[in-house]
């Protein structure tokens, strides 16, 4: 009976969380089976609660993402959100229009897109320097810095860019996890 109970317990944890151990045998074995079944019930309820929270969080995240996209589409200037490596996470229609080459026949420079590098569209050095300045400001415990700069689009045009950091971490340890560019 102990080996059968062990196998049934393994069945609950690995393949079928709805399965419950059959209660039979000596009084101690019945007591152990009841405890295992109670634990399986608690585990199943916990798993159901976690699945519900994940589903709720995913719905909330999708709603917030849609709200942010709607808000960005209404801004009168271009906005690009990047991670700290320069990968584009989000951009507005206005930003996409501003990044188009002036002469559509001459494809000078890249185009903006999700997952693409911002450094394919804007010069790398001014943006990297601005990130270094912001990191230095954080090490000196300065207020959240925002920098304005002029940079060159890959090609021949220049654009005015305001850069603000996106931070992560706890209050005491501010770390730049990305940046927002307003054009």
């Amino acid at each position: 009976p102990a080996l059968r109970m062990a196998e049934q317990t393994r069945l609950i944890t690995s393949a079928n969380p709805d399965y419950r151990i059959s209660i039979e045998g000596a009084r101690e074995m019945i007591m152990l089976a009841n405890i295992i079944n109670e634990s399986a019930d608690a585990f199943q309820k916990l798993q159901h609660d976690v699945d519900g929270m994940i589903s709720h969080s995913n719905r909330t995240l999708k709603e917030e993402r849609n709200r942010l996209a709607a808000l960005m589409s209404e801004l009168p200037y271009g906005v690009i959100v990047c991670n700290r490596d320069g990968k584009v996470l989000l951009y507005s229609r206005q930003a996409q229009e501003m990044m188009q080459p002036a002469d559509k026949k001459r494809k000078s420079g890249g185009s903006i897109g999700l997952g693409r590098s911002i450094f394919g569209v804007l010069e790398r050095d001014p943006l990297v320097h601005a990130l270094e300045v912001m990191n230095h400001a954080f090490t000196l415990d300065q207020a959240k810095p925002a920098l304005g700069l002029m940079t060159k689009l890959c090609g021949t045009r220049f654009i005015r860019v305001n850069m603000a950091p996106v931070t992560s971490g706890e209050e005491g340890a501010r770390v730049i996890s990305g940046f927002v560019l307003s054009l």
Side-chain angles (χ1 to χ4, degrees):
L3 292 175
R4 188 170 359 135
M5 191 177 291
E7 203 164 300
Q8 290 174 342
T9 303
R10 186 170 291 127
L11 177 67
I12 292 171
T13 59
S14 63
N16 185 0
D18 293 328
Y19 185 81
R20 294 298 176 261
I21 294 177
S22 57
I23 301 172
E24 56 186 53
R27 186 179 53 165
E28 293 83 9
M29 297 305 283
I30 292 172
M31 179 188 263
L32 183 58
N34 284 330
I35 291 171
I36 291 172
N37 286 338
E38 288 171 11
S39 296
D41 290 339
F43 175 75
Q44 191 173 24
K45 181 185 180 314
L46 181 64
Q47 188 65 40
H48 178 68
D49 292 347
V50 167
D51 290 344
M53 287 189 286
I54 290 171
S55 176
H56 175 71
S57 294
N58 285 337
R59 280 192 309 273
T60 303
L61 181 62
K62 188 174 182 179
E63 289 171 5
E64 286 185 27
R65 185 176 47 224
N66 290 341
R67 265 187 248 132
L68 181 59
L71 175 67
M72 284 186 63
S73 71
E74 297 300 318
L75 292 175
Y77 48 88
V79 177
I80 303 171
V81 180
C82 301
N83 68 8
R84 78 170 159 229
D85 298 323
K87 184 185 284 189
V88 175
L89 303 175
L90 188 65
Y91 61 91
S92 68
R93 181 177 33 83
Q94 293 84 348
Q96 185 179 27
E97 290 171 3
M98 293 172 126
M99 296 294 171
Q100 292 297 324
D103 181 6
K104 303 248 183 205
K105 293 176 188 169
R106 288 179 41 218
K107 294 275 185 181
S108 61
S111 62
I112 191 171
L114 295 178
R116 293 185 181 176
S117 176
I118 191 65
F119 304 124
V121 182
L122 296 176
E123 279 194 339
R124 178 184 199 86
D125 292 339
L127 296 177
V128 170
H129 177 71
L131 283 171
E132 290 171 354
V133 168
M134 285 188 244
N135 273 322
H136 183 68
F138 282 148
T139 60
L140 298 176
D141 245 359
Q142 292 179 352
K144 195 172 189 179
L147 297 173
L149 56 122
M150 287 291 287
T151 187
K152 189 176 180 184
L153 288 168
C154 291
T156 57
R157 298 182 303 152
F158 286 86
I159 192 165
R160 183 182 315 269
V161 178
N162 288 317
M163 181 183 227
V166 176
T167 58
S168 65
E170 298 173 8
E171 294 295 322
R174 293 186 297 179
V175 176
I176 294 178
S177 63
F179 52 91
V180 178
L181 302 174
S182 58
L183 314 173

